[in-house]
Amino acid sequence: MSNELPTVALAHLLEGARYEVMPTPSITEAVLEHVPPSLTVTVTAAPSKGLAATLDTSVALATAGYRVVPHLAARMVSGRGELEEVVARLAGAGVNAVFVPGGDADPAGDYTSALDLLQDLAAIEHPFTHVGITGYPESHPTIDDDVTVQSMWDKRRYATHVVSNMTFDAEHLGTWTERVRRRGVTLPILVGVPGPVDRTKLLGMATKIGVGESLRFLRKQKSVFARIASPGFSTDRFVSRVAALAANPALDIEGLHVFTFNQVGVIESWRRRMLDEAASARVRPPG
């Protein structure tokens, strides 16, 4: 494979990176200050806040000109009536993309899984040309790998792409992606990447999202803290390895989904630096 191909793939991934943020009171202002409107911003759904915070933040960012992807966590929606209200509000704000995870909350009503909500969404009129579902190259803490791959197969007809959870091992990512393709799931994949923020900022973010939600966050992400803080992990190196995988068209790795932990200024500075380095590598004469 040409050395230029991964570099081209890296630039493509960085140019189209998506930033995941949590709907805290200050995040809209932070995005407006640091994130160019050319980038997509996804807004998580926190059980402690309900969907209202997600929708409010999403509408505010959409009104400001961003392409926004709200997370519609299925277990946080009571049923078709509420789903129709959510769809109408997002449509009114010009939002044309959503991400549908199952969510960690106890079911608020009719939906116990993402598939339940996706089936109802398909049955009503909606403006969403892009519908994301979850993939798990890093094993789900409570669901077997075979079940998560089967779940993607079940949901594939309702979705346009897969968004992976946060992953750290490019070799494992490649093996998982090949397995997904062998299963017959052909949807493009966006790879979940931890942004280069330090452990202190991760813990600080956890304390801002509510006590109960923080406990869930810490339980789910305890391995994240250890791996990001590990001297052996580098976001730069990992993203470059993802780019090498993305240079293989058979894997159909379409983009990066960057977990910002709301440190959007730090993440955007990192992205621009990586883009500059990728551009320099492409014009550097062979040595």
Side-chain angles (χ1 to χ4, degrees):
M1 181 182 294
S2 166
N3 288 334
E4 186 177 5
L5 289 179
T7 304
V8 172
L10 177 60
H12 172 74
L13 292 176
L14 291 165
E15 287 166 356
R18 303 183 351 161
Y19 287 173
E20 178 177 302
V21 301
M22 300 175 186
T24 57
S26 61
I27 190 57
T28 297
E29 182 179 349
V31 170
L32 292 175
E33 180 178 355
H34 297 290
V35 180
S38 59
L39 296 187
T40 297
V41 180
T42 83
V43 185
T44 64
S48 61
K49 299 178 182 296
L51 275 179
T54 299
L55 298 177
D56 290 347
T57 300
S58 297
V59 169
L61 290 173
T63 301
Y66 289 88
R67 185 166 189 270
V68 181
V69 184
H71 292 210
L72 301 186
R75 296 188 186 95
M76 293 172 62
V77 181
S78 60
R80 183 177 290 199
E82 184 180 3
L83 179 61
E84 289 174 343
E85 293 173 0
V86 168
V87 169
R89 184 177 181 194
L90 294 175
V95 175
N96 67 357
V98 290
F99 173 61
V100 183
D104 296 323
D106 292 331
D110 298 336
Y111 303 138
T112 61
S113 70
L115 181 59
D116 295 337
L117 188 148
L118 287 165
Q119 289 172 331
D120 264 8
L121 185 62
I124 64 178
E125 183 176 350
H126 67 77
F128 307 131
T129 55
H130 292 78
V131 177
I133 58 174
T134 308
Y136 294 96
E138 301 285 334
S139 296
H140 191 283
T142 61
I143 306 174
D144 290 341
D145 290 348
D146 287 344
V147 176
T148 61
V149 173
Q150 177 64 41
S151 177
M152 280 187 286
W153 169 262
D154 294 338
K155 293 182 289 189
R156 76 197 188 287
R157 69 187 66 184
Y158 304 106
T160 58
H161 56 272
V162 173
V163 182
S164 88
N165 71 336
M166 200 181 307
T167 186
F168 303 84
D169 186 323
E171 183 176 353
H172 184 63
L173 172 68
T175 301
W176 173 81
T177 304
E178 290 171 354
R179 181 183 178 195
V180 169
R181 298 313 182 207
R182 287 196 304 270
R183 182 64 182 84
V185 177
T186 59
L187 299 174
I189 293 173
L190 304 176
V191 176
V193 176
V197 298
D198 63 33
R199 186 186 180 100
T200 301
K201 289 179 179 178
L202 288 177
L203 290 168
M205 186 67 249
T207 65
K208 293 179 181 178
I209 58 179
V211 175
E213 185 65 16
S214 294
L215 292 174
R216 289 189 201 89
F217 179 90
L218 291 169
R219 280 198 299 268
K220 288 175 63 180
Q221 308 297 348
K222 60 184 178 181
S223 66
V224 172
F225 295 138
R227 296 173 79 170
I228 290 178
S230 167
F233 180 77
S234 159
T235 300
D236 288 24
R237 184 166 57 249
F238 176 68
V239 168
S240 296
R241 290 174 177 172
V242 173
L245 292 172
N248 178 358
L251 298 181
D252 200 4
I253 293 175
E254 184 180 75
L256 298 178
H257 181 95
V258 183
F259 291 82
T260 70
F261 302 100
N262 284 22
Q263 305 301 315
V264 291
V266 172
I267 303 302
E268 178 58 12
S269 295
W270 163 81
R271 186 186 72 93
R272 291 178 180 176
R273 175 180 60 76
M274 288 287 286
L275 273 171
D276 289 344
E277 291 175 3
S280 297
R282 289 182 64 184
V283 300
R284 187 179 301 136

